[in-house]
Amino acid sequence: MRIQLDFSRFGRVLSVLAVAACLLPAGGLQAQTKPADPEAVRNASRAAAAKFLDRSRPQAERLAALRDLGYPDDRTAAALLGLGLDRTQSDTIRWEALQRVPYGDGYRETVLKILSDPGDGGEELDANLIADLSRRTAVTPPARIRQQIQSVWRKLLDDRRDKVRLQAYRALVSNHDSVALGLLVESLREGRGVPVPLPEAIDLLDQDGAVNYIGTLRPYLHHEDPSVQAKAARALAGDPESRPAIVELAKNPSTPGEVRLNALRALAREDDQFASYALPLMENGGEDPGIRLAAMKDFVGRMNYNRVAPADQVRFARAVEKLAGEKDLGTDESVKVKSAAQELHAYLLQAFPEVRKSYEKP
């Protein structure tokens, strides 16, 4: 679902191309500067690598050299791995070195060696390495390697450092790890000892598939912390039994804004009755401008990806038109609403035949 001001995946492509054409030199593409000399680039990269790898230089100077490092050759990559393992170096230098090493056995084994040693690496370095290894292991590796990584990450689930523990849960849950998920579910059901911040815990179960944890998540729909309640509302919008309560949260002006916004976003995706309360929120001049803006963006997101009754499309277009013509109240939020409505109304007339027909004279 979209919340940006671009209301169509293909919106304003021609305009962008036109602007790009205006930015070209007078002679067109041929007048652009020639590509840099490859040999000069290689020389600059070698010089940058030598400067960064020089342990005698000041850290600031070494970090500045990274701008010209480029993609390391095999020799430089091996030196970067050695730097990453060097405990005499700062964690900043070690992190900058390791994240520039191409993915492979050397990178993976080095990272796992650091993460396996409780005394090696500070909180930031270890948390960054978990996240980097997780991101780079996009394709499911062979079973042996997967188990090797999994074993190291699981040992970090009870790490005393908050950032390391959180990244370990994120990495494992993204791979549907039963141990990490079991610990999260058990702690959330008991309501104590949750190993990561509550909003993060709920978000992690939602990422794995909230439908599998509805009973565990429902109590948090009424949590006193708005950030927790917002995550629960977003996760449970697909649950028919929870949905009426989420709709009431979205409609109620006394509900914290964070909760209302998340509820609307999720309901636009899940609820076929979204028009019945989203449109009145848009049409209500006394409603919070941010909520009216969210309802408008979420509704057009639903129109783009779901079937919406023609009558609701037309009513929505009229509500957008009214918002576009409302008096500017001078606040940043009202300016955003008005500007977005003006842009959206033009898009609706172009993209939706039912809307366009409703404006045609008989």
Side-chain angles (χ1 to χ4, degrees):
M1 150 187 348
R2 273 163 299 197
I3 60 172
Q4 302 98 331
L5 294 185
D6 293 326
F7 298 104
S8 169
R9 182 182 303 173
F10 310 106
R12 298 197 305 281
V13 172
L14 292 178
S15 298
V16 172
L17 292 175
V19 171
C22 293
L23 294 176
L24 288 174
L29 291 172
Q30 294 181 348
Q32 295 184 59
T33 57
K34 294 181 179 179
D37 177 24
E39 187 59 32
V41 172
R42 283 192 291 271
N43 289 336
S45 178
R46 292 190 194 104
K51 188 176 292 186
F52 177 68
L53 292 168
D54 186 349
R55 290 163 169 78
S56 66
R57 290 179 181 271
Q59 177 167 294
E61 186 178 328
R62 297 170 70 186
L63 294 175
L66 291 171
R67 290 192 298 264
D68 298 319
L69 183 61
Y71 191 83
D73 56 25
D74 291 346
R75 182 177 178 181
T76 301
L80 291 172
L81 283 176
L83 194 60
L85 284 170
D86 188 348
R87 298 192 191 197
T88 68
Q89 298 295 294
S90 72
D91 280 1
T92 299
I93 291 290
R94 298 176 72 186
W95 163 237
E96 293 294 344
L98 289 171
Q99 68 174 312
R100 285 168 170 78
V101 176
Y103 185 83
D105 292 343
Y107 163 83
R108 185 182 62 255
E109 290 169 6
T110 297
V111 169
L112 292 178
K113 181 177 181 181
I114 295 170
L115 294 176
S116 297
D117 186 344
D120 188 3
E123 182 174 17
E124 290 288 341
L125 176 61
D126 284 3
N128 285 338
L129 290 177
I130 297 169
D132 195 50
L133 179 58
S134 177
R135 176 181 61 81
R136 295 216 230 173
T137 314
V139 179
T140 303
R144 179 187 61 82
I145 293 175
R146 185 170 66 251
Q147 291 166 5
Q148 180 188 29
I149 296 172
Q150 184 184 63
S151 175
V152 173
W153 282 345
R154 282 179 174 176
K155 291 176 182 177
L156 297 171
L157 291 176
D158 60 356
D159 194 279
R160 58 181 176 79
R161 298 166 296 177
D162 294 342
K163 292 181 180 179
V164 173
R165 194 170 59 251
L166 175 58
Q167 289 298 344
Y169 271 96
R170 285 176 173 170
L172 286 165
V173 169
S174 70
N175 288 282
H176 310 287
D177 183 76
S178 59
V179 172
L181 287 164
L183 290 171
L184 282 176
V185 170
E186 181 181 2
S187 63
L188 285 169
R189 283 179 178 168
E190 294 180 356
R192 57 187 176 83
V194 181
V196 298
L198 262 178
E200 289 277 359
I202 294 171
D203 200 36
L204 286 170
L205 292 190
D206 189 19
Q207 289 176 32
D208 190 64
V211 67
N212 300 313
Y213 310 106
I214 288 173
T216 300
L217 294 173
R218 274 180 185 158
Y220 294 94
L221 193 56
H222 308 286
H223 199 274
E224 59 185 13
D225 184 342
S227 63
V228 174
Q229 193 178 30
K231 291 290 187 181
R234 192 161 183 172
L236 290 167
D239 171 32
E241 291 187 36
S242 301
R243 195 175 300 145
I246 299 172
V247 170
E248 287 306 311
L249 288 173
K251 291 165 55 177
N252 191 342
S254 65
T255 301
E258 179 183 5
V259 180
R260 299 184 77 188
L261 292 173
N262 277 270
L264 282 170
R265 192 169 303 140
L267 289 165
R269 182 182 67 243
E270 301 289 353
D271 190 6
D272 291 338
Q273 303 304 313
F274 187 66
S276 66
Y277 47 89
L279 292 176
L281 287 175
M282 281 183 57
E283 294 164 342
N284 182 3
E287 182 57 82
D288 178 87
I291 296 299
R292 299 178 80 189
L293 180 62
M296 179 172 65
K297 291 178 177 179
D298 293 336
F299 196 94
V300 72
R302 183 166 183 82
M303 284 179 64
N304 281 330
Y305 297 110
N306 298 271
R307 186 182 182 283
V308 174
D312 289 335
Q313 292 185 31
V314 173
R315 182 181 171 187
F316 175 62
R318 298 296 179 180
V320 172
E321 181 182 33
K322 182 181 177 182
L323 276 171
E326 283 186 0
K327 183 179 179 181
D328 186 353
L329 300 178
T331 64
D332 289 343
E333 208 63 63
S334 65
V335 170
K336 289 179 183 177
V337 174
K338 189 178 181 71
S339 174
Q342 290 170 344
E343 181 180 350
L344 174 56
H345 193 256
Y347 166 68
L348 292 173
L349 289 171
Q350 176 187 4
F352 295 93
E354 293 294 339
V355 172
R356 187 165 56 250
K357 284 194 298 184
S358 73
Y359 279 85
E360 295 173 352
K361 294 181 179 180

